Amino acid sequence: MPTGAQTVQRFADVIDGAAPDPALPSSLVLAGAGKMGASLLDGWLKSGLDPVNVTILDPHPSEHIERLAAERGIALNTAIEAIRPPEVLVLAIKPQSLAEAAPSLARLVAPHTLVLSILAGKTLAGLAGHFPEAGAIVRAMPNLPASIGRGITGVVASQKTDDAQRSTATALLAGSGAVEWLDDEALIDALTGVSGSGPAYVFHLVEALAAAGVAAGLPADLAERLARGTVTGSGALLEASPLSATALREAVTSKGGTTAAALDELSGDNGIGPAVTRAVAAAKRRAQELAD
């Protein structure tokens, strides 16, 4: 893998219907099956992970998880004492719950176990402290579009993580979208502020755009449809076009036109650029506060 703090390696999405990735693990325990944990699980199953190789631990499983476990033969809330250390332990609980849950979960970790964490702010060193038997630890930060297979996940690994374990982590995470490997853990909190929290910024933009439409005189339901359609359509264009976001913005903006007038209001010290910079910095700071 290339080196350098800014270097990333992109892996293609796993295509639904393709043969199972041989890097998928032979045994996996998912600790925490909330929105993100459940989204990852759905991606794994679509990628070909055998459900009989999966155990879910969640004190309050959703109806979706209970139904999925019953239909697919997934073990749900087996006593920890009865579970053999798996090839992969995925931590998808709330970050604030780690200290309480770790002593029990640590029983599931053997030297061969890969600990894959999606807990915001929890560092590799901190995770190693909770799971001293673990030789390999991978820290990942997915985002909400993983729930429809369109997520993007930043990943960093401990020094003891070997190539096969990196491939396993990639195979698991690629089931929910693109994967970006980082070789500097210092970048992951900033990544959290951009892509981890980023979908909320986009949804908030839709809210603000719809509210602005109402303020300008549009009916609320029409303003909502216009705002949603504008953002989703623009995202699709951004994905399909070879042009940069800057070039696309310039293509929409005629000198002296309506868009230029609007962008004048979004520019400057109080504009959207500085506001987003502050937002990402705040998310990064909070991620650092959640660290062990």
Side-chain angles (χ1 to χ4, degrees):
M1 181 168 294
T3 60
Q6 301 294 334
T7 303
V8 296
Q9 180 174 349
R10 183 182 299 275
F11 292 86
D13 294 354
V14 173
I15 301 173
D16 285 351
D21 192 320
L24 289 170
S26 59
S27 58
L28 180 148
V29 173
L30 172 63
K35 291 181 179 179
M36 190 57 67
S39 295
L40 292 173
L41 176 62
D42 288 341
W44 301 336
L45 297 176
K46 290 176 182 177
S47 298
L49 181 64
D50 191 335
V52 302
N53 294 338
V54 178
T55 298
I56 300 172
L57 299 176
D58 191 305
H60 306 290
S62 66
E63 291 183 4
H64 167 69
I65 289 297
E66 290 181 335
R67 182 172 61 254
L68 187 64
E71 292 176 351
R72 302 296 299 273
I74 299 171
L76 177 60
N77 288 330
T78 304
I80 286 182
E81 295 79 6
I83 303 173
R84 299 180 63 179
E87 185 178 341
V88 180
L89 170 63
V90 179
L91 301 176
I93 59 178
K94 293 181 179 179
Q96 299 91 330
S97 302
L98 178 61
E100 179 182 357
S104 295
L105 294 176
R107 301 177 186 178
L108 301 176
V109 177
H112 73 274
T113 302
L114 166 64
V115 175
L116 173 57
S117 169
I118 64 167
L119 309 185
K122 298 305 180 184
T123 64
L124 293 173
L127 292 165
H130 286 296
F131 302 99
E133 293 297 316
I137 300 175
V138 168
R139 179 182 174 191
M141 178 48 58
N143 63 6
L144 187 59
S147 63
I148 59 168
R150 297 297 306 275
I152 187 164
T153 303
V155 196
V156 65
S158 65
Q159 290 185 348
K160 294 182 180 179
T161 306
D162 61 30
D163 289 343
Q165 290 166 323
R166 286 175 179 266
S167 295
T168 295
T170 299
L172 290 171
L173 296 168
S176 299
V179 179
E180 296 280 355
W181 276 95
L182 312 175
D183 60 2
D184 184 350
E185 188 179 9
L187 297 177
I188 203 162
D189 289 330
L191 180 145
T192 298
V194 174
S195 59
S197 300
Y201 315 155
V202 176
F203 302 146
H204 188 43
L205 173 61
V206 173
E207 292 177 313
L209 192 55
V214 171
L218 292 172
D221 58 343
L222 176 59
E224 171 74 13
R225 293 196 300 274
L226 292 173
R228 288 176 70 109
T230 297
V231 171
T232 58
S234 299
L237 175 59
L238 184 64
E239 181 178 52
S241 175
L243 299 176
S244 67
T246 297
L248 289 171
R249 173 183 56 77
E250 291 173 345
V252 179
T253 309
S254 300
K255 185 175 181 180
T258 58
T259 305
L263 288 175
D264 284 344
E265 296 296 325
L266 295 174
S267 303
D269 293 341
N270 296 318
I272 192 171
V276 171
T277 297
R278 293 194 300 272
V280 170
K284 176 183 177 182
R285 184 166 57 251
R286 180 55 181 153
Q288 292 169 335
E289 292 170 354
L290 290 171
D292 292 305

